[in-house]
Amino acid sequence: MLIGFDEAAAFLRGCKDAVIITHRNPDGDCIGAGFGLKDILAELGIRSRVVCHDEFPSPRYDFITETGAGEDFEPQTVIAVDIADKKLMGKYEEIYGDRVQLCIDHHISNMDYAERTLLNGKATAACEIIYDLAVYMGVNISKHCAACLYTGISTDSGCFKYDCTTPRAHEIAAEMMRKYDINFARINRYMFDVKSAGRMRLESKVTELMESYLGGKLNIIAVTKDIADAMGVSMDDLEGFAPMTIQLEGSEVGIFIRQRDNDYKCSFRSANDVNVSEICQRLGGGGHAKAAGCQMTGSLDDVKKQLVEAVKGALGQ
Amino acid sequence: MLIGFDEAAAFLRGCKDAVIITHRNPDGDCIGAGFGLKDILAELGIRSRVVCHDEFPSPRYDFITETGAGEDFEPQTVIAVDIADKKLMGKYEEIYGDRVQLCIDHHISNMDYAERTLLNGKATAACEIIYDLAVYMGVNISKHCAACLYTGISTDSGCFKYDCTTPRAHEIAAEMMRKYDINFARINRYMFDVKSAGRMRLESKVTELMESYLGGKLNIIAVTKDIADAMGVSMDDLEGFAPMTIQLEGSEVGIFIRQRDNDYKCSFRSANDVNVSEICQRLGGGGHAKAAGCQMTGSLDDVKKQLVEAVKGALGQ
């Protein structure tokens, strides 16, 4: 059931011993939302614990998790943050999936699996909603809490770069700088600039694999198992590379291909106006207008040929 | 003479046939400030022309310059934007350097060369000052003008990433999104994500030249003439690479070295607390706490040895 700030506030004020679930493969928004909400509950005198199927990446998020995930107690309240589908809870789905009392989320695709869902599909991040909820409730926001919530807004918006950035995200950032003196430059450095030596080498190598088609409007990077083996990386290490396919001047569509056991996983990105979700749907996949995907079988050359043809059609060529 | 908004406003309202000078090697802030101010003057019924020693980079800034730099007329008013020192005017220094009637700038190092200087050394960008001036004057701001001024704020702050970002920069961004519906995501894509094929290859190659010292706290990238020749690039093509030296996890100081005819140009960056300006001063150079430089002579090996020793001292090792 969708609820508003009034009901969410009343629920939080009345809750006790809460577990806060974040999604698997945790990112800045769910980690910031989890630990930020924990700070807010602590201000209300309510103890809570933040849980995740995976480890929180370290040292990247140490400045958030340094306050501790919380004591071990038998939860009486179950809260999910930034989780659109209970499947994303990983091992916690079995334990808590059917008894989430409050979900705070910004994904328009939210499955409405919780008893109460505070949803704003237009918000940049779950952290944006949690900040506004805390302001609505008049709860004191600590500097640590502000840093947590800023991190979620900054990471989900690509540091205020992408379409999903709201005016409200900027206003909150301004308030956080004025009122809480957060070290936003250091946070952004760790979120966006700092890379491991392995990641840096990998980016450099992956760049070299880029091939241009359709007069440079389509760029494809394909990583086969042989190439990954030669680089000494697993396919998991190749997460987050799809945006590189539309970095090249003049590109309209980019496809990042990763070979799997029985097929090729193809991640599409659109630079401007091409709807890649429509292209992927025709190829049996789906997604969003600017980021979508599909699976393809056959030889890599055949796969590329089919992809080029599909994009050619979408470009009206 | 330093002036406030009241005097700057009165001067602009009373001026006629203005030339607006931007600095050589033009960036998003001076281009945005020049064309944004031209729009504002046009609203006041005043014609103006934007000039620059260099060409405005195309197609990168076409969305700003598409309104035209302005007609050819004998200027009766001379305005400089984002120019701390008249030397930065290039060929326009000789023509206009000694008769700048109004300078609008955000560099604390401004040389006060103009008759009137509207200076805010804490502003993120000259565009931030010009936006606030336009609001102060109650001038109508067009969508194009808003896009110009947003571009300056976004580029000078590294898309709201760096220390120099002010709360006001965020507030202005929020206002521009709410009131003027600018296509900020497309602007940011062109400013931060899109690269030429040459630039992309170059980054990939330059990454491979990185060497780590002092347990990874210092990273050096040195490009000799031989290497540049082999890459097929000039030393000018290697502008803007210094920040790459502090991208590596664990790095505190980075140095980007470029060989010149008779010496090595060394650009320092600090990731956190090391003051690289102090290091560079001891080596005969200077700059800011987080970005500084010096020139060194001798063999590359000797230069590196001296740099490593200097940084070692600053790190207290």
Side-chain angles (χ1 to χ4, degrees):
Chain A
M1 189 185 68
L2 295 181
I3 59 167
F5 275 9
D6 48 349
E7 282 179 81
F11 176 81
L12 287 180
R13 285 193 189 284
C15 82
K16 204 183 155 188
D17 291 356
V19 64
I20 303 169
I21 311 167
T22 58
H23 60 71
R24 61 186 308 168
N25 299 317
D27 59 13
D29 192 27
C30 78
I31 300 174
F35 284 80
L37 183 57
K38 180 169 173 286
D39 285 351
I40 291 165
L41 290 174
E43 289 284 339
L44 297 169
I46 298 159
R47 64 177 181 171
S48 63
R49 182 169 71 243
V50 186
V51 301
C52 184
H53 176 90
D54 301 300
E55 296 273 310
F56 297 118
S58 175
R60 197 174 160 81
Y61 292 105
D62 286 0
F63 71 98
I64 290 181
T65 60
E66 68 184 6
T67 52
E71 320 163 44
D72 197 16
F73 52 74
E74 184 53 38
Q76 299 188 35
T77 307
V78 179
I79 303 172
V81 290
D82 195 38
I83 299 182
D85 185 329
K86 60 186 180 181
K87 284 181 195 158
L88 300 170
M89 294 179 185
K91 66 187 177 192
Y92 290 105
E93 185 190 359
E94 204 183 316
I95 314 173
Y96 300 120
D98 292 327
R99 56 187 186 103
V100 178
Q101 291 155 287
L102 173 66
C103 169
I104 303 177
D105 191 21
H106 71 119
H107 296 96
I108 196 71
S109 57
N110 188 287
M111 305 286 282
D112 200 13
Y113 58 86
E115 288 172 36
R116 301 163 191 81
T117 303
L118 178 63
L119 179 72
N120 178 356
K122 290 184 177 162
T124 308
C127 285
E128 183 178 323
I129 304 170
I130 291 173
Y131 179 79
D132 278 337
L133 180 60
V135 170
Y136 176 88
M137 294 174 76
V139 183
N140 180 54
I141 293 170
S142 67
K143 185 171 175 172
H144 176 265
C145 180
C148 289
L149 300 179
Y150 176 92
T151 302
I153 293 170
S154 174
T155 51
D156 262 21
S157 66
C159 210
F160 309 93
K161 192 161 56 174
Y162 300 131
D163 262 337
C164 62
T165 310
T166 58
R168 185 68 193 137
H170 278 293
E171 288 162 357
I172 292 173
E175 283 179 28
M176 282 174 169
M177 289 161 71
R178 285 198 199 283
K179 291 188 191 165
Y180 310 106
D181 189 32
I182 56 168
N183 198 338
F184 64 93
R186 184 169 286 211
I187 292 173
N188 290 330
R189 178 172 147 70
Y190 279 97
M191 295 303 115
F192 300 104
D193 289 344
V194 172
K195 296 171 186 177
S196 68
R199 179 80 187 185
M200 205 176 259
R201 271 195 305 272
L202 204 53
E203 284 186 7
S204 168
K205 284 180 182 167
V206 167
T207 304
E208 290 166 15
L209 298 172
M210 196 179 296
E211 294 171 349
S212 288
Y213 299 89
L214 305 175
K217 287 187 179 167
L218 168 64
N219 291 288
I220 297 180
I221 296 175
V223 184
T224 60
K225 285 187 169 195
D226 288 349
I227 292 173
D229 286 348
M231 287 184 190
V233 298
S234 75
M235 287 296 163
D236 281 347
D237 294 328
L238 293 166
E239 281 299 328
F241 280 92
M244 283 180 63
T245 59
I246 52 166
Q247 277 189 355
L248 203 58
E249 220 165 54
S251 69
E252 291 293 336
V253 177
I255 309 174
F256 187 62
I257 305 177
R258 277 170 285 180
Q259 186 178 18
R260 297 191 296 197
D261 283 340
N262 302 309
D263 62 2
Y264 291 92
K265 184 178 179 181
C266 307
S267 303
F268 283 62
R269 290 292 182 277
S270 169
N272 298 302
D273 304 319
V274 177
N275 187 330
V276 289
S277 172
E278 287 174 7
I279 302 175
C280 289
Q281 276 170 30
R282 279 196 296 276
L283 297 167
H288 305 281
K290 296 211 161 192
C294 66
Q295 285 86 50
M296 303 287 283
T297 52
S299 75
L300 182 57
D301 277 349
D302 280 345
V303 167
K304 282 186 193 169
K305 253 181 218 161
Q306 288 179 64
L307 296 175
V308 173
E309 277 309 306
V311 173
K312 194 174 175 181
L315 284 167
Q317 291 189 328
Chain B
M1 190 183 67
L2 294 183
I3 60 167
F5 275 9
D6 48 351
E7 283 179 79
F11 176 80
L12 288 180
R13 286 194 188 282
C15 81
K16 204 183 155 187
D17 290 356
V19 63
I20 304 170
I21 312 166
T22 59
H23 61 71
R24 60 186 309 168
N25 298 317
D27 59 13
D29 193 26
C30 78
I31 301 173
F35 284 81
L37 183 57
K38 179 168 173 289
D39 285 350
I40 291 165
L41 290 174
E43 288 285 337
L44 296 169
I46 300 160
R47 64 176 179 171
S48 63
R49 182 169 70 243
V50 186
V51 301
C52 184
H53 175 90
D54 301 300
E55 295 273 310
F56 297 118
S58 176
R60 196 174 161 80
Y61 292 105
D62 286 0
F63 70 99
I64 291 182
T65 60
E66 68 184 6
T67 51
E71 322 162 42
D72 198 16
F73 51 75
E74 184 53 38
Q76 299 188 36
T77 307
V78 180
I79 303 173
V81 290
D82 195 38
I83 299 183
D85 186 329
K86 59 185 181 183
K87 283 182 194 157
L88 300 170
M89 294 179 185
K91 66 187 177 194
Y92 289 106
E93 185 190 0
E94 204 183 317
I95 315 173
Y96 300 121
D98 292 327
R99 54 185 188 107
V100 177
Q101 290 155 289
L102 173 66
C103 169
I104 303 178
D105 190 22
H106 72 118
H107 296 96
I108 196 72
S109 58
N110 187 287
M111 304 287 282
D112 201 12
Y113 58 86
E115 288 172 35
R116 301 163 191 80
T117 302
L118 178 63
L119 179 72
N120 178 356
K122 288 183 177 162
T124 308
C127 284
E128 181 177 323
I129 305 170
I130 291 173
Y131 179 80
D132 278 337
L133 180 60
V135 170
Y136 176 87
M137 294 173 74
V139 184
N140 180 52
I141 294 170
S142 66
K143 186 171 174 174
H144 176 264
C145 179
C148 289
L149 301 179
Y150 177 92
T151 302
I153 292 171
S154 174
T155 51
D156 262 21
S157 66
C159 211
F160 309 93
K161 192 161 57 173
Y162 301 132
D163 262 336
C164 61
T165 311
T166 59
R168 185 68 193 136
H170 277 294
E171 287 162 358
I172 292 173
E175 283 178 28
M176 283 173 167
M177 290 161 71
R178 284 198 199 282
K179 291 188 192 167
Y180 310 105
D181 190 32
I182 56 168
N183 198 337
F184 64 92
R186 184 171 284 210
I187 293 173
N188 290 330
R189 178 172 146 73
Y190 280 96
M191 295 303 116
F192 300 105
D193 289 344
V194 172
K195 297 171 187 176
S196 68
R199 179 80 187 186
M200 204 176 258
R201 272 195 303 273
L202 203 53
E203 284 186 8
S204 168
K205 283 181 183 166
V206 167
T207 304
E208 290 166 15
L209 298 173
M210 194 179 297
E211 295 171 349
S212 288
Y213 298 89
L214 306 175
K217 288 187 176 166
L218 169 64
N219 292 287
I220 297 179
I221 296 174
V223 184
T224 60
K225 286 186 167 196
D226 289 348
I227 293 174
D229 287 347
M231 287 185 191
V233 297
S234 74
M235 286 298 163
D236 282 348
D237 294 328
L238 293 166
E239 282 299 328
F241 279 93
M244 284 179 63
T245 59
I246 51 167
Q247 277 189 357
L248 203 59
E249 218 165 56
S251 69
E252 291 293 335
V253 176
I255 310 174
F256 187 61
I257 305 176
R258 275 170 286 178
Q259 186 178 19
R260 297 192 297 198
D261 284 340
N262 302 307
D263 63 1
Y264 290 93
K265 184 178 179 183
C266 307
S267 303
F268 283 62
R269 289 294 181 276
S270 170
N272 298 301
D273 305 319
V274 177
N275 186 328
V276 288
S277 173
E278 287 174 7
I279 301 176
C280 288
Q281 276 170 30
R282 279 195 297 276
L283 297 167
H288 304 281
K290 296 211 162 189
C294 65
Q295 285 87 49
M296 304 286 285
T297 52
S299 75
L300 182 57
D301 276 348
D302 279 347
V303 167
K304 282 186 193 168
K305 252 181 218 163
Q306 288 177 64
L307 296 175
V308 173
E309 276 310 305
V311 173
K312 193 174 177 182
L315 284 167
Q317 291 188 327

